[in-house]
Amino acid sequence: QVQLVESGGGLVQAGGSLRLSCAASGRTFSNYNMGWFRQAPGKEREFVAHITGSGATTYYGDSVKGRFIISRDNAKNTVYLQMNSLKPEDTAVYYCAAQSIYNYGTYYVGGSYNYWGQGTQVTVSS
């Protein structure tokens, strides 16, 4: 089992920045690729970003590319999502998720992840 706890959400004005954190416990953190997803009210869950277990490779959803940065610190068992130039359409609950490196699942598909956090609310005001 892997336990994931997100933090760092809140209310921010458009154009501002937030950094989300996701602390993991329970298994060897570097054995898991990590992803961030988000879900706004009435919308489907959306892929945001992914980082491999070593941190060497990252992927981003088209709507956040160039504005968000995913990173990880394996010594601290934590993955981060730096969100810059925030827009009202970024308002959502943000979830981190862990995907076993042996899963070989598609990084942008939520069903390929093994564990999920409870989510943290991000609200961007216009």
Side-chain angles (χ1 to χ4, degrees), residues 29-30 32-34 50-60 70-74 79 101:
F29 187 57
S30 58
Y32 290 86
N33 303 319
M34 299 297 296
H50 173 99
I51 187 167
T52 54
S54 66
T57 304
T58 58
Y59 302 97
Y60 295 93
I70 188 171
S71 63
R72 65 190 294 159
D73 185 338
N74 284 350
V79 63
I101 60 173

Side-chain angles (χ1 to χ4, degrees), residues 46-82:
E46 178 187 11
F47 166 72
V48 175
H50 173 99
I51 187 167
T52 54
S54 66
T57 304
T58 58
Y59 302 97
Y60 295 93
D62 288 342
S63 62
V64 307
K65 203 171 294 183
R67 299 188 298 123
F68 291 11
I69 300 171
I70 188 171
S71 63
R72 65 190 294 159
D73 185 338
N74 284 350
K76 295 183 178 179
N77 289 357
T78 302
V79 63
Y80 304 97
L81 185 69
Q82 177 67 42

Side-chain angles (χ1 to χ4, degrees), residues 7 9 20 23-25 28-29 37 39 47 53-54 57-58 72 77-78 91-93 97-98 103 107 113 117 122:
S7 62
L20 305 183
S25 61
T28 303
F29 187 57
F37 290 77
Q39 188 164 21
F47 166 72
S54 66
T57 304
T58 58
R72 65 190 294 159
N77 289 357
T78 302
T91 295
V93 177
N103 191 345
Y107 65 85
Y113 289 78
V122 172

Side-chain angles (χ1 to χ4, degrees), residues 45 116 124:
R45 183 172 58 194
W116 291 81
V124 184

